[in-house]
Amino acid sequence: MKKLALLLICLLPILAGCHSSKDNMIRLGDMMNPNEFSAATTDSIVHQAAAEATDETLLYIINEPAEEDIDELLAYQLLKLEDDAPVSLLVPSRQNTKMVIYPLLYTSDADGYQRGPEVWSTDVSDKGLVIAMQAARGQAGHPAYEIYVECNSYYASYFWEMPTGDDGDTAELPQFEMVEFIAEHPTFTGLD
């Protein structure tokens, strides 16, 4: 009984914060269920990306890691969508993350991009999931793929294209990109 009372006292500040109790429970679940990565060192490229993430980050993208950075990872899945394209690491920040990758196709009828059939997906990510994706990015403003990410009831979409600079031209890719959740699903948690 004393242990239960002590646990409740420790959790009370978390649950009594300025967020709703549902948000606090999700945050508590995330703290108890972070993704843990197997790497040769605790300062691997994946751990460096995780150190820069915010609470809202659902996915880390590590652009064009060096070969020695990839060699440090003890486990990863290779997803080869295009030959001779650079490799980027896609790393869910939490376990139990759903991911789907769709090609984006330009249609003149809609004057925009539409999803094609999915090329890869996972319903629930395992502990330590790291995807080494080999795929060319679209030019700025012309994405090649959409990466849809969902965890708990939060979701985000990331468009696989080169970044746009202040002048409107293509900018240099940063080493790390953080995909943060857009919003919470109003009434459902499944993939769309």
Side-chain angles (χ1 to χ4, degrees), residues 36-48 68-74:
E36 298 173 13
F37 311 101
S38 298
T41 68
T42 57
D43 192 34
S44 72
I45 194 87
V46 175
H47 290 99
Q48 291 173 36
E68 54 269 12
D69 291 330
I70 294 175
D71 290 343
E72 257 189 357
L73 300 174
L74 301 179

Side-chain angles (χ1 to χ4, degrees), residues 10 20 128 155:
C10 291
S20 72
Y155 69 95

Side-chain angles (χ1 to χ4, degrees), residues 43-54 57 59-66 69 72-73 87-91 137 158 160 163 172-180:
D43 192 34
S44 72
I45 194 87
V46 175
H47 290 99
Q48 291 173 36
E52 292 192 19
T54 66
T57 301
L59 180 72
Y60 321 130
I61 298 175
I62 303 166
N63 292 306
E64 301 180 20
D69 291 330
E72 257 189 357
L73 300 174
V87 171
S88 292
L89 301 177
L90 308 179
V91 187
R137 288 177 179 260
Y158 176 86
W160 196 251
E172 187 175 321
L173 272 174
Q175 181 179 22
F176 302 130
E177 292 180 90
M178 304 299 162
V179 179
E180 296 182 344

Side-chain angles (χ1 to χ4, degrees), residues 8 16 86 88 113 119 133 141 150 155 157:
L8 288 174
S88 292
Y113 290 87
V119 294
M133 184 169 92
E150 184 179 301
Y155 69 95
S157 282

Side-chain angles (χ1 to χ4, degrees), residues 8-85:
L8 288 174
I9 290 171
C10 291
L11 290 177
L12 190 58
I14 293 171
L15 297 175
C18 60
H19 301 286
S20 72
S21 61
K22 180 180 177 186
D23 285 344
N24 285 328
M25 290 308 291
I26 290 170
R27 290 181 191 280
L28 180 61
D30 290 344
M31 289 188 314
M32 293 172 28
N33 202 24
N35 205 348
E36 298 173 13
F37 311 101
S38 298
T41 68
T42 57
D43 192 34
S44 72
I45 194 87
V46 175
H47 290 99
Q48 291 173 36
E52 292 192 19
T54 66
D55 288 342
E56 290 78 25
T57 301
L58 294 179
L59 180 72
Y60 321 130
I61 298 175
I62 303 166
N63 292 306
E64 301 180 20
E67 234 178 272
E68 54 269 12
D69 291 330
I70 294 175
D71 290 343
E72 257 189 357
L73 300 174
L74 301 179
Y76 62 89
Q77 292 181 17
L78 179 61
L79 176 60
K80 192 172 193 173
L81 299 178
E82 298 166 26
D83 293 334
D84 302 324

Side-chain angles (χ1 to χ4, degrees), residues 103-125:
L104 292 176
L105 311 168
Y106 182 79
T107 61
S108 57
D109 296 342
D111 194 27
Y113 290 87
Q114 293 184 339
R115 288 178 175 172
E118 74 178 52
V119 294
W120 181 88
S121 68
T122 182
D123 286 336
V124 179
S125 63

